Amino acid sequence: MIRKIKNDSGYSLVELIIVLAIIAVMSGLAAVSISSIRTARATSSKESFNQELSTLQSLTKTQESDWAMKLEKVDGKYNLVYGKSKNGSDFTEDTSKDREILDRVTIYYSNNGSSAGSEVSSMIIKFNKSDGSVETGSGVYTFYKDGSTDSVGKVTLNRATGSHYTGS
């Protein structure tokens, strides 16, 4: 009787193609998930900024008139720092207030809303206590996913009324 010996070492071409297809699908899903996470973080930063404007406005109306907020980029992240400012150009940090950190975002500012503006490195925002108008920092703040040209929205701060709102 002659025995035939079957050689089962290694994988067939079909098995390798199936494994590569599975890896490609999983990689695609991971890329979409990472992009969604980056968008969510940038959107969260925009919403936090808008909320901090409300907090600053409330502080100015109910407490001292020289409350201000400084938005500054440090090590690739934006710090929102509360403090005092007499004229909108000087700033003294109030260390009793926590800093809000906005990360995974790049912020551009335009004072007229019609131009693309320029990236924010340091900006002081200050409201007027008597009428709620904006003394410094009014304009449009556009939020982009960090390292991308994809905008996640804008926060518009109206000079005359002090109102602020988010939009796309």
Side-chain angles (χ1 to χ4, degrees):
M1 188 160 60
I2 301 178
R3 275 194 191 172
K4 214 174 185 187
I5 300 176
K6 191 173 177 185
N7 186 359
D8 281 337
S9 64
Y11 298 102
S12 71
L13 181 59
V14 172
E15 291 171 325
L16 289 174
I17 290 173
I18 290 171
V19 168
L20 288 174
I22 291 170
I23 290 172
V25 168
M26 298 300 281
S27 296
L29 291 174
V32 168
S33 295
I34 289 170
S35 177
S36 296
I37 290 168
R38 287 179 60 200
T39 300
R41 297 282 298 266
T43 302
S44 174
S45 290
K46 176 189 71 163
E47 296 300 330
S48 292
F49 178 71
N50 192 50
Q51 181 60 43
E52 295 300 326
L53 288 174
S54 294
T55 301
L56 175 62
Q57 201 169 29
S58 177
L59 281 171
T60 302
K61 286 181 180 179
T62 61
Q63 295 181 17
E64 298 174 37
S65 62
D66 37 333
W67 275 106
M69 181 172 64
K70 187 173 188 179
L71 171 66
E72 64 181 341
K73 189 169 188 176
V74 178
D75 297 330
K77 297 177 183 179
Y78 289 92
N79 292 327
L80 291 176
V81 183
Y82 287 97
K84 304 292 174 104
S85 176
K86 295 282 185 205
N87 58 17
S89 61
D90 64 321
F91 186 82
T92 305
E93 181 178 352
D94 182 342
T95 56
S96 69
K97 302 264 184 219
D98 290 335
R99 289 176 173 233
E100 179 73 23
I101 297 178
L102 309 177
D103 61 350
R104 310 280 186 209
V105 69
T106 301
I107 305 171
Y108 279 73
Y109 168 76
S110 170
N111 62 355
N112 60 19
S114 62
S115 66
S118 58
E119 186 175 354
V120 173
S121 59
S122 182
M123 171 81 64
I124 295 174
I125 302 167
K126 183 173 177 11
F127 289 95
N128 184 311
K129 183 176 179 109
S130 61
D131 63 4
S133 65
V134 180
E135 290 183 15
T136 60
S138 64
V140 178
Y141 297 83
T142 306
F143 289 71
Y144 295 91
K145 289 192 290 187
D146 196 28
S148 171
T149 57
D150 297 335
S151 170
V152 295
K154 299 177 181 184
V155 174
T156 302
L157 182 55
N158 185 294
R159 176 183 286 288
T161 64
S163 65
H164 50 94
Y165 55 90
T166 62
S168 52

